[in-house]
Amino acid sequence: MVNKVIAILLLFLLNIPLFSKWSFVVYYQVNKSYIAKELCINRNKPQLHCDGKCFLAKKLKAAEEKEQKATSEKLEKMPEIVLFFDDNHVDLSGLGSFEELTQLHSFSYLEPSYGSPLLGIFQPPKI
């Protein structure tokens, strides 16, 4: 029971950025008369029937700009991952000659020996 509550709480916390715009809309709907009387830019012009929509639009635009700024900052900090490597643009001048490279990295292949004393005793059946 406690694990389910914790899981639901964590899911809710992860989705808070998605609800930020909706929270402004809910706040506007709940406090529509207060916003229209006190916070509306066009409160002195009732013929426009703004009713605080300018306030809501301003808040939604600010939230969108804040989200875009946060996204761009995250993208700037993200490291670049090279998916493809182009051999034509590699500078090998500082590595020396090919002979020096082969001497530095010499690999040899050893043929595995399959000889075992048990192979003489245990042999697969012959058909």
Side-chain angles (χ1 to χ4, degrees):
M1 178 65 183
V2 174
N3 290 340
K4 288 182 182 180
V5 172
I6 292 173
I8 292 171
L9 179 66
L10 288 176
L11 283 173
F12 179 74
L13 290 175
L14 286 173
N15 290 317
I16 284 178
L18 299 175
F19 298 130
S20 65
K21 292 178 186 174
W22 287 103
S23 65
F24 289 123
V25 174
V26 170
Y27 177 77
Y28 169 74
Q29 292 296 332
V30 170
N31 300 315
K32 197 174 198 177
S33 61
Y34 170 74
I35 292 172
K37 291 177 187 174
E38 301 294 327
L39 302 176
C40 182
I41 297 170
N42 299 320
R43 64 181 170 262
N44 297 332
K45 302 174 188 174
Q47 66 274 15
L48 294 177
H49 299 290
C50 178
D51 299 327
K53 292 176 189 168
C54 56
F55 175 78
L56 177 63
K58 186 168 52 169
K59 287 291 186 181
L60 289 176
K61 185 177 179 183
E64 181 73 27
E65 289 174 356
K66 183 179 177 183
E67 184 179 324
Q68 286 178 353
K69 182 180 176 185
T71 304
S72 65
E73 287 176 358
K74 286 179 186 177
L75 288 175
E76 288 175 1
K77 292 178 183 178
M78 190 178 294
E80 182 179 341
I81 299 172
V82 178
L83 296 177
F84 298 102
F85 184 72
D86 189 7
D87 292 339
N88 297 332
H89 300 290
V90 178
D91 182 25
L92 298 175
S93 61
L95 294 177
S97 66
F98 181 72
E99 290 81 19
E100 292 174 10
L101 287 175
T102 55
Q103 289 174 359
L104 289 174
H105 303 287
S106 61
F107 299 100
S108 61
Y109 176 73
L110 298 175
E111 186 70 37
S113 61
Y114 295 108
S116 171
L118 297 177
L119 287 179
I121 301 171
F122 300 106
Q123 296 210 2
K126 295 179 184 177
I127 300 178

